Amino acid sequence: MMENPKLSLLGQADTGLARGVCGLLGGLKHLTLWLLGLTGLAGCFGLIFEYGEGLADISLHEWGFMLLLVALTWRHVHYSRRFGYGFWRGLARWLGAQGIVFGIGLIALGLIVWLSLEFLGHAKFLNELDLVGKEGDVQGLALALLAMYLGAPTRPRKAAHASPEATSIRREPTLSSSPDKEVSL
């Protein structure tokens, strides 16, 4: 295997700066997804308790949502433990999946608004859309459950650095100098 030549001081500063900026942007991406996920979950519970009457406010499909949410949360925790994710990594997957689904929903809503204003020239079409009806609530809750289902780990987490025992070393065959020893491979 050929080794990389040592970088100059300017090259090291350049690669370090690029690595730092990429790390910062990756962290901002994850933070944004987590905040979107929290916002989406808060919106789901805002839909459920919209009238402020406690348990009397909950309809049958909202009870179903909460029961499925508990079951999917248990599934997520079980798979996170099984596949070696810690609490924070499991929570990050959960919130990230919620954030992605909520972000896709916001983009779809923005496209609907943009297309209706662009091609119709007015917002009359938006008044005809029933975005606050029961079907919209069920769709929003179903998307949150879908994100919960898809956010669970499905395979063991990759180790950041492979252990020396895990890496295989190719050994070249050697010939022994004594005539009574065999050739080892």
Side-chain angles (χ1 to χ4, degrees):
M1 182 159 76
M2 192 169 111
E3 292 185 27
N4 292 332
K6 184 155 175 79
L7 289 174
S8 66
L9 187 58
L10 184 60
Q12 289 175 354
D14 180 43
T15 57
L17 178 66
R19 190 176 303 140
V21 169
C22 286
L24 179 67
L25 290 176
L28 287 174
K29 174 189 78 169
H30 288 292
L31 179 66
T32 303
L33 286 177
W34 298 339
L35 290 176
L36 275 174
L38 282 174
T39 304
L41 285 175
C44 287
F45 286 105
L47 284 174
I48 292 173
F49 298 107
E50 62 189 336
Y51 299 114
E53 296 179 9
L55 294 179
D57 187 27
I58 300 175
S59 66
L60 188 59
H61 70 276
E62 292 167 343
W63 276 111
F65 166 77
M66 292 198 321
L67 290 174
L68 285 172
L69 185 67
V70 168
L72 288 173
T73 301
W74 176 85
R75 175 185 176 268
H76 185 86
V77 169
H78 174 73
Y79 283 162
S80 292
R81 284 182 183 163
R82 179 176 179 86
F83 293 126
Y85 287 72
F87 174 77
W88 292 110
R89 287 197 193 271
L91 183 65
R93 280 186 62 94
W94 189 64
L95 288 176
Q98 291 292 334
I100 289 170
V101 168
F102 187 64
I104 289 172
L106 288 176
I107 290 171
L109 181 64
L111 283 174
I112 290 171
V113 169
W114 176 72
L115 290 174
S116 69
L117 292 176
E118 182 70 26
F119 294 113
L120 298 177
H122 51 78
K124 183 179 177 187
F125 177 70
L126 293 176
N127 292 334
E128 294 171 5
L129 279 177
D130 190 20
L131 296 174
V132 294
K134 189 175 188 177
E135 295 84 17
D137 292 350
V138 171
Q139 289 173 352
L141 296 176
L143 285 175
L145 290 175
L146 177 68
M148 187 71 181
Y149 177 77
L150 295 176
T154 57
R155 66 184 102 174
R157 200 168 68 86
K158 294 179 184 176
H161 301 287
S163 62
E165 297 86 26
T167 59
S168 63
I169 300 172
R170 183 171 182 243
R171 300 199 182 250
E172 296 293 327
T174 59
L175 295 175
S176 174
S177 60
S178 62
D180 55 341
K181 291 189 178 178
E182 295 181 24
V183 174
S184 64
L185 296 175

